[in-house]
Amino acid sequence: MSNAIGRLSPSLFFFSSAEVSDPSPRLWNVRFAVGKMAHGKQETWTVAVLLITLWLAQDALGKPQFPEQEKDPTFWNTWAQRSLRSALDLQELNKNMAKNLILFLGDGMGVPTITAARILKGQLLGQPGEETQLEMDKFPYVALSKTYNTNAQVPDSAGTATAYLCGVKANEGTLGVSAAAVRSQCNTTQGNEVTSILRWAKDAGKSVGIVTTTRVNHATPSAAYAHCVDRDWYSDGEMPQDALDTGCKDIARQLFENIPNIDVIMGGGRKYMYPKNTSDVEYPMDKKLNGTRRDGRNLVQEWENRMKGKRAHYVWNKSSLLSLNPSNVDCILGLFEPADMPYDLERNQDTDPSLTEMVDVANNILKKNPNGFYLLVEGGRIDHGHHDGKAKHALYETVEMDRAIGRAGLLTSTYDTLTVVTADHSHVFNFGGYTPRGNTIFGLAPMLSDIDQKPFTAILYGNGPGFKLVNGLRENVSTVNYEENNYQAQSAVPLRMETHGGEDVAIFAKGPMAHLLHGVKEQNYIPHAMAYAACIGQNKDHCRFYPNSALGTKPTVLPALLTLLFSWLRVMG
């Protein structure tokens, strides 16, 4: 803001109720604060001018506080009645067998993140935002998941991934092993391995896939195929020598060895597949992105050699991915970045595919299997945005994952596809401050603090890197661009990285047997319910009774055929 504005006379900022269209108490709170600060420093006047300008700009534009139709009770009654009819339709349960299973995992996508992303989605469409529906909001069944690890009240992404993929709660930091395994102790691995629903699906003859915006050997995807007592053992380059000597395998190696021929693998993590100091194909001059493997193995080349003669493709950029005809592809390995994929707001749209584009290709490859498929999709960088205190990235990542959910919905049918959306854990993220309807989700609360007389953003963190003091006082957010992509929202406690939250997270479900996901459940219940719906894993006895199962015809058709046969024999005899 210019010095000229900073020098404006205090008398310009006192208004009578006749001079504003809405003399609300919040505006008078601002006026009172301005009056108190009338003889302060220039910075103080800058704050006052900013607040008043923002408030009056909204009035001047004539922006309604809410849609006009919402003044009419008929609007709300009609909407409620429509929702009631939809709820009554659910009395007829979908008890088909699930041919296909899709799990969307929003890493760190707690309920406040879902709500804020819903508002953001609406505002990106030019709406107030609060009334908008996310794709996951349209799912008919909702439950809550208890996220604690066996040894942690507030969990991490590895122990939780073991729960919602393997059906067993586990210790923090461990993947695909039971709670008898101890983090970083290699000798506790053997004998404590647990298998995932992805493995159960593969064993049942289904095609399987993993799509993530993180590294393909990051915590969430790793629990689908690996058995590892330390989530940080991405390659052997990150493992201690004693673990290697004891016989433990790094996660990248397990991706290709534990479950042969995972049909679709897409995400980041190239550098963990190549020998140490091998230059990256996309960033050859950046030594930090060179290969990390100490064993000298080139896992990508090994995969290509193993897949010779099959309709398999390795791709590392968007153009190569989208040039493929999924009808002519049975297996794909897509590694689009050396480590995690970029935030969607920073993504190079010419070189890196979006999550939605990856899901589209994955679905079209997997669906060719007449036995169906299992697909794990992770919006993994929601979590990273929150850890960095960068709420804008976290929420845009959530909106992008919701877009991918919508795309998958268009490519499948609830008749034979069970789709589940959930999170592994939450974050200490929230938003509040009595913001008015339609307030930009990244904007200021409509008041000043009554303690330090400074503005604050609606979005805040309980802890994290956004804790900043200027001259021993809370930073004045009006002096920075708080709507910038990498702005770190203020936090109450200073930490280099913001932490997870411990509250329950939501589970959304639609499709066959989706009604099994209701109430408050332990997180490890999720794969059991999904496997039951698809007749894989340990629950198979009920399968012959499914109305859309080939097995379901046997109890009724076979006796009828036998009756006809005996009748014919009697006639002939």
Side-chain angles (χ1 to χ4, degrees):
M1 189 171 291
S2 70
N3 290 336
I5 295 179
R7 289 194 299 267
L8 288 174
S9 167
S11 63
L12 292 177
F13 301 104
F14 286 85
F15 302 95
S16 69
S17 58
E19 291 173 311
V20 293
S21 58
D22 179 19
S24 67
R26 281 191 289 260
L27 179 57
W28 298 122
N29 286 341
V30 173
R31 175 188 170 188
F32 174 69
V34 172
K36 288 180 65 178
M37 298 185 296
H39 301 291
K41 297 180 180 179
Q42 178 173 311
E43 180 189 292
T44 304
W45 272 111
T46 302
V47 178
V49 172
L50 176 64
L51 287 169
I52 298 298
T53 302
L54 288 172
W55 194 278
L56 292 182
Q58 181 172 323
D59 271 330
L61 291 172
K63 184 177 179 180
Q65 297 253 336
F66 54 87
E68 185 68 23
Q69 62 184 351
E70 294 184 11
K71 296 180 180 179
D72 186 351
T74 303
F75 169 80
W76 297 107
N77 289 330
T78 301
W79 192 347
Q81 287 295 314
R82 187 166 59 246
S83 298
L84 178 60
R85 286 192 294 273
S86 296
L88 290 170
D89 289 341
L90 295 177
Q91 300 305 307
E92 304 226 354
L93 301 178
N94 181 348
K95 294 184 179 180
N96 292 339
M97 181 176 74
K99 175 183 176 183
N100 309 312
L101 299 171
I102 304 177
L103 176 64
F104 281 93
L105 193 285
D107 198 317
M109 189 182 69
V111 172
T113 298
I114 293 172
T115 307
R118 178 188 303 129
I119 293 171
L120 173 59
K121 177 182 178 180
Q123 292 180 350
L124 291 172
L125 297 172
Q127 302 164 359
E130 296 84 1
E131 71 296 329
T132 304
Q133 272 196 312
L134 293 167
E135 292 299 325
M136 64 186 92
D137 291 339
K138 302 172 186 176
F139 285 30
Y141 296 98
V142 181
L144 290 176
S145 168
K146 298 163 66 176
T147 64
Y148 65 92
N149 296 148
T150 47
N151 66 340
Q153 185 179 76
V154 177
D156 92 312
S157 294
T160 53
T162 303
Y164 62 75
L165 290 174
C166 302
V168 174
K169 287 238 176 187
N171 291 329
E172 171 268 339
T174 64
L175 296 159
V177 289
S178 72
V182 181
R183 183 169 188 174
S184 302
Q185 294 188 19
C186 174
N187 62 0
T188 66
T189 306
Q190 190 171 4
N192 294 320
E193 300 92 342
V194 292
T195 58
S196 75
I197 187 172
L198 184 141
R199 180 62 181 257
W200 309 339
K202 190 69 174 176
D203 289 346
K206 296 183 184 294
S207 294
V208 295
I210 295 169
V211 175
T212 179
T213 53
T214 66
R215 289 152 276 186
V216 295
N217 51 348
H218 206 255
T220 294
S222 295
Y225 58 82
H227 311 290
C228 189
V229 292
D230 198 312
R231 58 175 290 177
D232 295 328
W233 293 353
Y234 298 118
S235 77
D236 63 341
E238 289 77 37
M239 293 179 66
Q241 189 60 46
D242 66 316
L244 292 170
D245 294 340
T246 308
C248 279
K249 298 180 181 179
D250 64 88
I251 298 170
R253 180 180 168 188
Q254 294 189 56
L255 171 62
F256 299 102
E257 295 182 357
N258 285 7
I259 303 177
N261 303 336
I262 295 176
D263 304 277
V264 170
I265 303 170
M266 283 193 273
R270 272 197 307 261
K271 68 179 183 179
Y272 305 106
M273 315 300 167
Y274 290 95
K276 192 174 179 64
N277 297 324
T278 303
S279 297
D280 184 73
V281 64
E282 189 173 7
Y283 311 101
M285 305 307 292
D286 193 338
K287 295 188 182 300
K288 297 192 301 294
L289 303 178
N290 286 353
T292 64
R293 301 199 64 81
R294 288 191 283 163
D295 58 10
R297 293 177 62 176
N298 183 329
L299 298 181
V300 172
Q301 188 63 59
E302 290 180 16
W303 182 87
E304 290 184 300
N305 292 341
R306 192 169 71 249
M307 291 295 178
K308 279 182 179 176
K310 300 180 180 180
R311 302 195 303 175
H313 297 265
Y314 167 65
V315 294
W316 59 269
N317 58 44
K318 176 178 175 177
S319 59
S320 296
L321 174 69
L322 299 187
S323 67
L324 297 173
N325 180 351
S327 299
N328 301 322
V329 178
D330 292 329
C331 296
I332 186 169
L333 172 62
L335 300 174
F336 303 106
E337 286 290 330
D340 299 319
M341 296 185 69
Y343 288 121
D344 199 63
L345 279 174
E346 298 175 347
R347 178 172 59 89
N348 184 326
Q349 298 191 13
D350 294 325
T351 59
D352 286 315
S354 67
L355 183 61
T356 300
E357 289 166 334
M358 291 192 290
V359 166
D360 186 282
V361 174
N363 192 290
N364 286 324
I365 291 173
L366 297 172
K367 71 179 184 181
K368 300 194 301 292
N369 187 336
N371 294 321
F373 64 82
Y374 173 87
L375 176 61
L376 168 64
V377 182
E378 182 197 20
R381 303 223 64 196
I382 301 169
D383 178 69
H384 296 174
H386 281 320
H387 279 309
D388 290 341
K390 299 176 180 178
K392 192 164 189 177
H393 281 303
L395 297 187
Y396 269 83
E397 292 294 308
T398 308
V399 171
E400 172 57 26
M401 192 183 84
D402 195 66
R403 189 178 295 118
I405 293 169
R407 183 59 185 160
L410 292 174
L411 296 172
T412 58
S413 167
T414 54
Y415 177 78
D416 64 359
T417 302
L418 172 62
T419 303
V420 176
V421 180
T422 190
D424 46 358
H425 55 76
S426 185
H427 276 268
V428 290
F429 159 89
N430 221 312
F431 68 100
Y434 301 112
T435 47
R437 178 77 176 273
N439 197 74
T440 170
I441 192 61
F442 303 114
L444 296 174
M447 61 177 66
L448 302 179
S449 165
D450 57 3
I451 302 298
D452 63 12
Q453 283 76 50
K454 291 179 181 178
F456 59 96
T457 54
I459 286 175
L460 297 169
Y461 285 94
N463 58 49
F467 180 93
K468 292 182 178 68
L469 296 178
V470 178
N471 297 325
L473 301 173
R474 182 171 69 93
E475 182 183 51
N476 194 324
V477 295
S478 67
T479 64
V480 297
N481 182 3
Y482 49 80
E483 295 205 39
E484 193 264 330
N485 290 354
N486 290 301
Y487 171 71
Q488 293 178 309
Q490 291 187 337
S491 65
V493 176
L495 288 176
R496 288 186 177 88
M497 288 185 66
E498 178 264 6
T499 71
H500 295 170
E503 73 270 24
D504 298 349
V505 297
I507 310 170
F508 303 88
K510 69 174 181 178
M513 307 300 283
H515 56 277
L516 296 179
L517 290 158
H518 70 279
V520 179
K521 295 290 191 287
E522 295 288 353
Q523 194 167 46
N524 66 296
Y525 170 79
I526 295 172
H528 290 274
M530 295 182 72
Y532 184 94
C535 286
I536 61 175
Q538 59 185 291
N539 296 113
K540 296 177 182 176
D541 292 343
H542 64 289
C543 298
R544 64 184 182 275
F545 300 115
Y546 271 131
N548 67 329
S549 167
L551 296 173
T553 62
K554 292 180 181 179
T556 54
V557 174
L558 185 57
L561 290 175
L562 290 173
T563 300
L564 287 173
L565 177 61
F566 289 133
S567 298
W568 180 79
L569 289 173
R570 281 198 299 271
V571 171
M572 295 301 293

